[in-house]
Amino acid sequence: MKKYRLGTRALFALTIALALLAAVFINGIFLLLSNRHNLAVDLTRSAAFQLDPDSLQLLDSLEKEITIDVLAREDSFDGSPYLVQARRILQQYPKNSPFVRLRFIDYQQNPAFGANYPDITLASGNILVKGGSNLRQLQLAELFNYDLQSQAVVSSRAQEAISSAILQVSSGDALRAAILTGADTADAQALYSLLGDNNIKAAQVNLVTGSLSDYDICFLLSPLVDLSLPTLDKLDAYLYNEGQFGKALFVSLDASQPLLPNLATYLKEWGVSLLDGAVFETTASRTYAMQPFYPLTEYSEDSLSGRLRDSQIPLLLPRAKPFQLLYASRDNQHTRELLRFSDTSGVRPSQAGSDFDPAKAALKGPLPALAHLIRQGKAQSGQAPRSSILLSASTAMLEAGILQNSQLANGEYLLKLVDDLTGRDQVVHLRPVSLAAARLGVNSLTAQWLGILLVGVLPGILLIAGLAVFLYRRHQ
């Protein structure tokens, strides 16, 4: 019987055809798997395109359906790296939980979609996160942090915003925070945003006319007008909480504050003495942008710093007013230092002249920067209830550019504090993600030598080596 053999060309063509079919088959299998499972590998330095463990834990805890409606076409997220990252993060939620459904809706082509939400104003780019009867509306701009001057996007907070919205619509009642007004207090817009994005409902409450009893924590930001005795009694009654305690008050200071004798006396009862002046730092590496009155702080203890994503990232407390702790424990009251200014810091008195010499400052570091003041009640079931005052030397630590800065831990640390003071659990606090390339910081002389090395020396060495190899082989 005659046997047929494939020629070389036919065998080669058959091999190519089989390889192509195998590639198509394998790609199809992976495509099907990728629709059900997350097969992507994120090689970026900050894992910018993958969900954080906190978000994954939140998704694992879901027990009811969550719908994420993006009022934009999916291809509208092309172009900008931050828009691409935001779309990728959105796509990760349904891939990591069967309870999450993601839909991209072209709102311009389907304006009737707004009839489903008659009580809110919708616009293209909005993101609606819905769980049962709970709804959270996000603006597209809320997915990013911006430079305060140029308004350019500097980092992404897409995962933080989406995960916080899922937490808010899937959980029960949110914590309530009162931003106290009525004493010429500082602006708190950035604090509002931070609290709202982390499932804490914040509202302005007048110190004189408002009621505080329904709030878990109150914020008193560097008042310029001294508090009256009845107002201080009101704060004291809030913290006492009819003997139940369990309340918290955040008080921040500023170097520009005038003497406030009533507030100073009240804080002294809690174990703190307010001092005059402004804190400065003499070591350039412990300042922000080489500004002495913008000192970076050190962690005094690790009960909270140990829970941060990176305990090496500092907090910035600009324009700080100094204070000192009077005791560690006395009767049912306790004080503890959470943050401190370094031993190379000092205090410039408010009345100091232009000839002030930092080296001759009367008050030098280390100085407390953030303190936890505790007042306890009678023990119940083995644990004494307590209320707390958190005293910060700086109100500027709550400014938008600082809270949103991915190189500072201000926002994350503050939220950990709120969780600790209020006993809140199952929270999502995620750091902003920057997609900017890392910079190589060199001076002009170093850059010149690097240029000579890369443009002249290395190519010359390669050329000589190639020529030597060529001559050697030619004479073999």
Side-chain angles (χ1 to χ4, degrees), residues 5-26:
R5 293 185 178 182
L6 292 174
T8 303
R9 291 184 179 180
L11 183 60
F12 178 76
L14 180 60
T15 303
I16 293 297
L18 291 175
L20 290 175
L21 289 174
V24 171
F25 178 75
I26 293 174

Side-chain angles (χ1 to χ4, degrees), residues 88-167:
R88 181 63 175 272
I89 288 296
L90 284 165
Q91 293 169 340
Q92 296 304 305
Y93 287 93
K95 287 185 177 182
N96 286 279
S97 174
F99 292 100
V100 178
R101 182 171 61 150
L102 173 66
R103 300 186 300 181
F104 288 89
I105 299 170
D106 189 346
Y107 187 62
Q108 293 182 341
Q109 297 296 324
N110 186 21
F113 177 82
N116 298 316
Y117 303 95
D119 298 329
I120 59 177
T121 301
L122 299 179
S124 294
N126 285 174
I127 299 174
L128 303 178
V129 182
K130 186 177 181 181
S133 60
N134 298 326
L135 176 69
R136 176 72 190 277
Q137 180 184 14
L138 297 173
Q139 308 295 325
L140 183 62
E142 295 181 57
L143 304 187
F144 313 104
N145 291 323
Y146 299 85
D147 181 83
L148 295 180
Q149 296 180 347
S150 65
Q151 294 300 307
V153 176
V154 294
S155 61
S156 170
R157 53 181 306 277
Q159 186 177 171
E160 177 188 2
I162 300 299
S163 293
S164 297
I166 292 176
L167 174 64

Side-chain angles (χ1 to χ4, degrees), residues 193-242:
S193 299
L194 180 71
L195 297 177
D197 290 339
N198 287 275
N199 200 29
I200 302 174
K201 294 183 179 179
Q204 285 190 348
V205 179
N206 188 281
L207 269 168
V208 178
T209 61
S211 173
L212 305 179
S213 58
D214 293 334
Y215 294 93
D216 302 289
I217 185 170
C218 295
F219 289 84
L220 180 63
L221 308 182
S222 56
L224 298 179
V225 176
D226 201 8
L227 276 62
S228 65
L229 295 180
T231 299
L232 290 171
D233 289 340
K234 185 175 184 177
L235 288 177
D236 213 43
Y238 163 76
L239 292 169
Y240 182 67
N241 192 24
E242 298 181 347

